[in-house]
């Protein structure tokens, strides 16, 4: 069944299209990964089947012994566009959500070493927990939103979107220069520092502070 997420306020259910994700969009996270800060956005895709919603279980694939949480601001696209200028990008944003880019770090590290794609490490079932969409009109300033992630009640990640290397406007301009954006596409805008391993039995909470929270139990697949 195609994945849908709900838009707060209207209650409309939006069909999820393409899921774009940014790699290395916070300098402190690039540093903890022992990576350079990129000169252009690093973009990868997850399939829409990776989506789960608040309360659903995160399932750790058997092939991995090191699954990490990456809390990220998610931008939901509201209308079709190609070659969108940064200055026009706000008109294409339906709203914002909190999400987790769940990552098999051991599988990703091996893929990096081999020069292979990240699809398996990043796109497995349940790898994209996401909240309902908060309409853009209800968000004060997307350039300064606090995002955080707790595991078993303990804060592991907390940062502001002001620490992004590439702004939301720049990301939309860049992605839409290559891919047609459509209503229901999601953009995971990258994670700040503090990523860490989770295991079966853990509970992860991700928060867009002041707006919405999602909570997920972790189980073995
Ligand atoms: Mg990420």
């Amino acid at each position: 069944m195609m994945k849908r997420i709900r838009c707060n306020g209207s209650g409309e259910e939006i069909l999820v299209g393409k899921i774009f994700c940014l790699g290395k969009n916070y300098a402190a996270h690039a540093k903890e990964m022992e990576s350079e800060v990129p000169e252009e956005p690093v973009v990868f895709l997850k399939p829409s089947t990776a989506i789960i919603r608040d309360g659903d279980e995160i399932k750790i694939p058997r092939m991995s012994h090191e699954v990490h949480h990456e809390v990220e601001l998610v931008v939901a696209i509201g209308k079709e566009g190609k070659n969108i200028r940064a200055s026009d990008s706000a008109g294409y944003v339906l709203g914002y959500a909190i999400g987790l880019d769940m990552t098999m770090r051991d599988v990703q590290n091996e893929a990096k070493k081999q020069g292979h794609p990240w699809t398996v490490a990043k796109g497995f079932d349940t790898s994209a927990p996401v909240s309902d969409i908060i309409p853009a009109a209800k968000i004060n300033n997307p350039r300064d939103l606090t995002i955080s992630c707790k595991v078993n009640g303990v804060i592991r990640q907390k940062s502001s979107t002001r620490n992004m290397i590439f702004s939301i406007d720049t990301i939309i301009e860049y992605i839409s220069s290559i891919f047609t954006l459509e209503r229901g596409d999601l953009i995971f805008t990258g994670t700040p520092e503090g990523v860490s391993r989770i295991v079966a039995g853990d509970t992860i909470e991700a928060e867009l502070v002041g707006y919405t929270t999602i909570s997920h139990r972790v189980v073995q697949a």
Side-chain angles (χ1 to χ4, degrees):
M1 192 168 58
M2 303 298 285
K3 300 283 182 166
R4 293 172 186 273
I5 54 175
R6 185 179 302 117
C7 196
N8 264 4
S10 72
E12 185 191 354
E13 298 264 334
I14 310 277
L15 204 56
V16 176
K18 301 181 287 299
I19 305 173
F20 297 98
C21 303
L22 269 280
K24 297 188 279 192
N25 200 28
Y26 288 77
H29 173 63
K31 194 174 173 195
E32 75 180 349
M33 292 288 103
E34 296 174 352
S35 286
E36 300 294 314
V37 169
E39 285 175 15
E40 281 203 319
V42 175
V43 177
F44 61 93
L45 284 160
K46 288 183 192 253
S48 63
T49 43
I51 292 282
I52 57 171
R53 286 165 58 164
D54 183 32
D56 294 341
E57 289 175 339
I58 294 170
K59 294 179 177 153
I60 298 182
R62 300 230 162 250
M63 68 190 295
S64 177
H65 300 287
E66 193 188 10
V67 171
H68 280 188
H69 55 80
E70 297 189 354
V71 69
E72 310 195 357
L73 178 72
V74 177
V75 178
I77 297 298
K79 69 171 184 183
E80 185 172 316
K82 175 82 197 210
N83 296 320
I84 300 165
R85 285 184 306 188
S87 56
D88 296 333
S89 67
Y92 292 82
V93 175
L94 176 65
Y96 300 89
I98 194 70
L100 289 161
D101 167 19
M102 300 305 298
T103 303
M104 293 194 271
R105 191 71 69 203
D106 46 357
V107 175
Q108 185 196 27
N109 286 341
E110 191 56 31
K112 281 180 178 173
K113 236 185 271 174
Q114 306 276 345
H116 291 166
W118 295 0
T119 311
V120 171
K122 293 281 199 177
F124 59 94
D125 284 356
T126 79
S127 65
V130 68
S131 72
D132 290 354
I133 299 164
I134 313 296
K138 291 193 180 167
I139 299 274
N140 285 335
N141 180 7
R143 289 178 195 79
D144 192 11
L145 291 169
T146 303
I147 58 175
S148 78
C149 177
K150 284 184 202 167
V151 178
N152 303 326
V154 178
I155 291 209
R156 298 271 184 92
Q157 295 187 271
K158 187 170 191 178
S159 188
S160 166
T161 58
R162 85 176 96 88
N163 297 320
M164 285 182 181
I165 295 167
F166 299 104
S167 68
I168 294 163
D169 297 348
T170 304
I171 292 167
I172 289 174
E173 179 173 270
Y174 179 79
I175 292 178
S176 74
S177 75
I178 304 159
F179 305 92
T180 299
L181 287 174
E182 298 169 295
R183 184 175 176 81
D185 287 351
L186 302 178
I187 304 172
F188 282 63
T189 55
T191 197
E193 69 279 15
V195 300
S196 69
R197 180 170 178 249
I198 47 94
V199 295
D202 285 345
T203 298
I204 308 183
E205 286 168 88
E207 186 174 8
L208 180 56
V209 176
Y211 295 99
T212 190
T213 303
I214 51 174
S215 178
H216 302 273
R217 253 181 74 79
V218 179
V219 300
Q220 194 67 50

